[in-house]
Amino acid sequence: MIDYFYLFIYQFFTLLSKLLPKRVMDLLLLGLSKIIYRLDKKHRQIIHTNLKLAFGNTLTKAQMDKIGIHTFYNMLQTIVGFMRRYGRTRQELLKNVSFQNEHFVQHAIDTNQKIIFITGHYSNWELLAPAIAARFTIALAAVGRKLDSSLMDQLLKKNREQFGVELLYKKGAMKGMIKALKNGKAVGLLLDQSLGEKQGGIKVDFFGKSAGHSPAASILSRTLDATVIPAFITTDDYEHYTVTFHEPLPIIKTEDKEMDIRLMTQAQADITQKVIETKPEEWFWVHKRWKTYYPDLYYGYRS
């Protein structure tokens, strides 16, 4: 029954997103964001904990509240954008998306390099992979978590695949990524969540604090000589989006494999931090990003 409840909510908001003028829908989502932020004490505390870890005491409570509300607003806009994309053509998808530094990607394609795109839960991250696949007409395999609702998971999978994006579930994703890269597909990874050492994560410096980070992109890059291209999407109005590609990160190969992986992974954390610092309100501050090394700060709030 819960699956059908989720489906009803999804269809209801899909209908609203199509019937209501954008300005009205934006106001509705902003209002919902403020309500969720005020009522969801658990995630509000996680957001404040993260902001204090990242920025120390440089932010006032009002500034943290503003970023917190925008965190939920950004998430709702991402979901609604996902709903609006279903059934669109590639041309319609790209109509309001612009690209910066495309030459980094085009060069990798022209020289037949294996490509790994890394990004984070930033702005409309769900639009990023379809936009890249549509812009360069390439097959792309993106790693994601399987949703608890099987019906909603199928909707997500179908939505992505209409633009040539294959969904790889996190469990067993490494084999899928290796296969995809060897078959000429690009791979997309969200690398901004905590991953403890027991789960294969390694320690990086993130906003001056220790954090667990996945080395998956580094391992794949070093093993298969794959080019790692950081790619992030941003917006000012949730209608027009800009995808920015950053300079490919160097592949490090010495006799010290462990150190190579650490250095490559740190570089990925550094570029992610740099992007977040530019517009912190677009990052998803709800994740317990530093829980591996600062578990007590999140005590009482399960993720």
Side-chain angles (χ1 to χ4, degrees):
M1 285 297 293
I2 192 68
D3 270 7
Y4 290 101
F5 173 72
Y6 288 143
L7 183 61
F8 170 76
I9 296 296
Y10 176 86
Q11 291 175 335
F12 176 72
F13 274 92
T14 298
L15 182 62
L16 279 184
S17 69
K18 292 179 179 179
L19 292 178
L20 295 179
K22 183 181 181 302
R23 184 174 178 277
V24 176
M25 192 66 184
D26 287 349
L27 288 173
L28 174 62
L29 296 181
L30 181 58
L32 283 173
S33 302
K34 291 178 178 179
I35 292 171
I36 295 170
Y37 180 73
R38 294 302 174 190
L39 295 180
D40 191 348
K41 181 180 178 181
K42 168 188 167 182
H43 288 107
R44 185 172 71 247
Q45 292 297 326
I46 291 172
I47 290 169
H48 282 216
T49 297
N50 285 336
L51 288 170
K52 288 176 182 176
L53 280 166
F55 299 109
N57 296 318
T58 62
L59 298 177
T60 64
K61 183 179 180 301
Q63 288 173 318
M64 288 194 291
D65 287 339
K66 184 177 180 180
I67 292 173
I69 291 169
H70 204 96
T71 294
F72 288 109
Y73 181 62
N74 185 76
M75 178 186 66
L76 291 176
Q77 285 283 5
T78 297
I79 294 170
V80 169
F82 173 85
M83 295 171 176
R84 287 171 174 157
R85 278 197 305 280
Y86 188 75
R88 288 188 176 183
T89 65
R90 290 174 181 264
Q91 291 73 25
E92 290 171 332
L93 175 74
L94 295 174
K95 184 178 179 182
N96 293 324
V97 182
S98 60
F99 297 83
Q100 293 184 348
N101 300 329
E102 295 172 271
H103 62 282
F104 291 136
V105 181
Q106 196 59 57
H107 174 72
I109 293 173
D110 293 342
T111 53
N112 297 314
Q113 297 179 39
K114 295 178 178 65
I115 303 173
I116 301 171
F117 293 105
I118 63 162
T119 190
H121 293 81
Y122 190 79
S123 190
N124 192 337
W125 65 86
E126 278 292 338
L127 174 58
L128 182 60
I132 292 174
R135 171 64 185 86
F136 296 97
T137 319
I138 58 174
L140 195 157
V143 178
R145 184 180 70 85
K146 187 173 184 178
L147 300 182
D148 295 332
S149 165
S150 59
L151 273 175
M152 297 308 299
D153 190 69
Q154 285 302 310
L155 278 172
L156 174 64
K157 192 170 184 289
K158 196 172 181 180
N159 189 299
R160 285 176 170 173
E161 288 178 346
Q162 68 179 325
F163 300 109
V165 179
E166 176 189 359
L167 181 59
L168 299 175
Y169 294 125
K170 283 187 176 180
K171 187 176 182 180
M174 183 59 78
K175 288 184 179 179
M177 288 188 288
I178 292 172
K179 181 180 178 181
L181 288 168
K182 287 184 175 180
N183 288 339
K185 293 182 179 181
V187 164
L189 285 165
L190 289 158
L191 294 178
D192 58 345
Q193 291 182 269
S194 176
L195 188 68
E197 293 179 7
K198 290 182 179 180
Q199 290 76 44
I202 62 176
K203 184 190 288 189
V204 297
D205 180 277
F206 194 62
F207 283 90
K209 305 292 190 301
S210 295
H213 198 101
S214 171
S218 304
I219 294 170
L220 285 169
S221 175
R222 190 181 184 280
T223 303
L224 301 176
D225 290 319
T227 298
V228 175
I229 302 178
F232 290 86
I233 191 168
T234 187
T235 184
D236 291 323
D237 59 7
Y238 292 95
E239 182 175 6
H240 303 90
Y241 291 86
T242 301
V243 173
T244 300
F245 299 106
H246 297 263
E247 187 173 359
L249 301 177
I251 300 173
I252 304 174
K253 274 192 173 184
T254 69
E255 293 181 357
D256 191 340
K257 180 180 178 181
E258 183 177 339
M259 180 56 67
D260 295 347
I261 297 297
R262 288 187 179 279
L263 291 173
M264 292 170 71
T265 305
Q266 182 63 59
Q268 295 158 28
D270 289 344
I271 188 63
T272 303
Q273 176 181 330
K274 183 178 178 181
V275 170
I276 294 169
E277 287 174 331
T278 304
K279 288 181 72 177
E281 66 273 16
E282 290 198 71
W283 193 43
F284 197 54
W285 290 93
V286 171
H287 296 310
K288 296 179 184 178
R289 183 64 182 95
W290 289 270
K291 69 179 180 180
T292 300
Y293 299 98
Y294 301 90
D296 292 345
L297 296 181
Y298 298 104
Y299 180 76
Y301 300 101
R302 296 181 180 179
S303 56

